[in-house]
Amino acid sequence: SSRSSVSSTIPDSIFGGNGCGGNPPPELLMLRPLSTTDIEMADEIITKSSIFVDSRADDSDAGDEVAVFDRDPLHEADVATLDGREYINDNVLHFYVRMINEQTKERVSDSKDKEACYTSYVSKSYFLTKLVGQKGEAARSGKKRAVRPRFLGVKDDEVPFSGRDDSSKNLARWPGSWHQTIYGCKYVAAKGSVGEGYRPTVFDLKLNMLVLPANLTNHHWLDIAVDFDKKEIVAYDSLPVADERLDVPHTGTNVLNSVVGVTVKDLDIVMLRRLCYEFRISPVGNKLAVMYRLMRIMFVQEAFLYVKEQGAQTEPKQHVLEEEWCIYLSPAMPKQNPSNNNCCLYCCLGANILAVGKDMSVLTPTIVEEIESNGRRAMATLALNKKEQDDEDSGEVMEGASM
């Protein structure tokens, strides 16, 4: 069958390097060539899922399972968010994240020279939310089509950020303990916690890159990258708050500390605007719009503090020195069309680029145009291909058992 234009827009430079010990270099999942059949099947499942959501009697009904990756299923209500009428939800993003991490694991495990491998991990979006104690309604699949709450689904008399103290207990319970391998050392959980003592690791090697997808107020997705080689923590955003790099000084005001425990109605617009001036961000809009911009600063600040705290809990201890690390907001991510809801596509593709050791310069205008046109179809195709592969594997197992 004929191929879509995506196959001719991928420069060879994207796939050069970081191939691990003689293995082929990694690919970017969303840029796999789509056949005419792929496009037709993607359109069919997206349309079918959208019709289901628009006609369902029970808003909590997620519909049929379209695909599953380990414990992360995609239902019709999730796939319906690929139709362009609303933001792509967290279940779709997490499915893609699973595929990125599986790609990395296979690349490392298949390599004859694991030390030469570029190792990375992409977290689920819940991690940063828990790290700052962020309250609010997640963009789950069981919700009716509607305009989402303006700010986190939090009422005026509720506290949007409870702070890192409340969230730290949850982080120790995360399965896989990926965050305990960031220095290639074993981590000792706090005495009395669920994970007391040594815990299993994702890789035997240290991570080169940790990518933390972030969600702002159920309206926007971006990537926070922790680059352990360059000692940088960077926000990559398809709707940046400035056209130039914005460095976040370690001596600057901590945004989370400024708002923690404060209800929405008690947020001080004067204080928030002062923070904007300090970090060279536009203070235009009401206090919720201003807080929306400041959350980018909050996320990179808290990611650094987390890395620093984790370093102190590894054996041997890793000393993370502020003067050696840079944290900043980068304008390198191509800008999306602000009139559409494609921020999750950029977030997923950006995470994939960072996970294979590349930078945003590989995203040429032609590729960006293709992502805007066919990115949602590509996401649906990945889910359908996973379902097809699982069905084939299941059939082979059943056939072998009957012999």
Side-chain angles (χ1 to χ4, degrees):
S1 55
S2 61
R3 293 286 171 184
S4 75
S5 59
V6 71
S7 61
S8 62
T9 63
I10 308 174
D12 292 339
S13 60
I14 285 186
F15 302 121
N18 296 332
C20 281
N23 290 341
E27 62 179 343
L28 302 180
L29 299 170
M30 203 184 298
L31 295 184
R32 287 174 174 172
L34 296 177
S35 68
T36 301
T37 302
D38 289 333
I39 292 175
E40 291 174 350
M41 292 182 67
D43 287 344
E44 180 181 351
I45 189 62
I46 292 172
T47 301
K48 177 178 178 289
S49 299
S50 296
I51 291 173
F52 160 75
V53 169
D54 290 339
S55 62
R56 62 184 173 178
D58 183 355
D59 293 339
S60 64
D61 184 3
D64 294 337
E65 186 177 277
V66 176
V68 63
F69 202 117
D70 196 4
R71 291 168 296 180
D72 287 318
L74 278 186
H75 292 91
E76 288 177 303
D78 302 312
V79 176
T81 66
L82 293 171
D83 69 2
R85 289 191 286 172
E86 60 180 299
Y87 298 98
I88 299 172
N89 77 359
D90 48 359
N91 290 339
V92 176
L93 178 137
H94 294 159
F95 192 90
Y96 192 83
V97 162
R98 283 276 193 175
M99 297 193 74
I100 296 174
N101 290 332
E102 185 67 18
Q103 181 189 54
T104 303
K105 287 182 181 180
E106 290 177 355
R107 181 162 46 86
V108 173
S109 62
D110 293 344
S111 174
K112 296 179 181 179
D113 184 7
K114 291 181 172 55
E115 292 291 339
C117 287
Y118 189 87
T119 56
S120 60
Y121 191 86
V122 185
S123 82
K124 291 187 175 182
S125 61
Y126 305 143
F127 176 74
L128 276 175
T129 300
K130 290 180 179 293
L131 190 63
V132 300
Q134 183 177 331
K135 178 182 173 60
E137 175 189 331
R140 305 299 296 179
S141 62
K143 300 300 175 184
K144 195 171 185 177
R145 283 188 189 277
V147 176
R148 296 208 178 278
R150 175 61 185 155
F151 187 68
L152 302 168
V154 181
K155 298 177 182 177
D156 281 351
D157 60 350
E158 293 181 325
V159 174
F161 302 102
S162 60
R164 62 184 75 90
D165 288 341
D166 289 342
S167 64
S168 60
K169 298 175 184 177
N170 296 327
L171 297 179
R173 296 186 174 95
W174 278 42
S177 307
W178 60 264
H179 54 290
Q180 299 165 4
T181 71
I182 56 180
Y183 296 105
C185 306
K186 289 198 172 184
Y187 170 94
V188 181
K191 186 174 179 60
S193 69
V194 173
E196 182 180 347
Y198 292 111
R199 305 185 67 183
T201 60
V202 176
F203 299 112
D204 292 330
L205 308 172
K206 73 177 183 67
L207 295 181
N208 299 97
M209 172 67 69
L210 174 64
V211 185
L212 307 172
N215 184 268
L216 300 182
T217 72
N218 285 335
H219 276 76
H220 185 58
W221 295 98
L222 70 152
D223 289 310
I224 307 297
V226 182
D227 190 326
F228 291 97
D229 295 336
K230 296 180 180 179
K231 295 186 177 180
E232 292 181 344
I233 296 181
V234 188
Y236 292 100
D237 192 347
S238 59
L239 287 177
V241 295
D243 293 328
E244 61 182 12
R245 167 173 163 163
L246 289 181
D247 286 281
V248 180
H250 292 285
T251 55
T253 303
N254 182 276
V255 175
L256 180 58
N257 287 346
S258 301
V259 299
V260 66
V262 181
T263 63
V264 172
K265 67 181 179 182
D266 290 331
L267 284 173
D268 184 352
I269 184 63
V270 175
M271 179 272 293
L272 294 177
R273 287 176 174 166
R274 177 181 60 77
L275 287 176
C276 285
Y277 287 122
E278 177 179 340
F279 294 111
R280 296 182 293 143
I281 293 176
S282 171
V284 175
N286 61 23
K287 60 185 178 182
L288 301 182
V290 172
M291 190 66 238
Y292 175 84
R293 296 185 179 94
L294 286 170
M295 283 179 70
R296 295 163 169 84
I297 303 291
M298 178 193 297
F299 282 145
V300 293
Q301 286 181 328
E302 296 309 311
F304 173 76
L305 291 176
Y306 175 75
V307 169
K308 186 175 182 179
E309 290 165 359
Q310 290 296 298
Q313 296 182 70
T314 56
E315 290 191 352
K317 289 186 178 181
Q318 305 294 313
H319 299 287
V320 178
L321 304 178
E322 292 181 352
E323 59 268 25
E324 294 180 352
W325 281 73
C326 294
I327 56 177
Y328 61 93
L329 312 187
S330 171
M333 175 78 80
K335 294 181 178 63
Q336 71 177 86
N337 182 340
S339 64
N340 63 31
N341 301 319
N342 285 342
C343 53
C344 189
L345 295 178
Y346 287 84
C347 179
C348 289
L349 184 57
N352 202 168
I353 290 170
L354 294 165
V356 300
K358 296 297 180 181
D359 59 50
M360 300 304 161
S361 64
V362 303
L363 292 178
T364 65
T366 306
I367 290 180
V368 171
E369 181 180 354
E370 185 65 38
I371 291 301
E372 289 276 353
S373 301
N374 280 327
R376 291 171 182 260
R377 288 168 169 158
M379 298 282 268
T381 300
L382 288 169
L384 291 173
N385 289 346
K386 182 66 171 63
K387 172 66 172 174
E388 182 180 4
Q389 183 61 56
D390 288 347
D391 289 344
E392 290 179 1
D393 293 344
S394 177
E396 291 175 2
V397 170
M398 292 180 64
E399 183 179 346
S402 63
M403 289 183 177

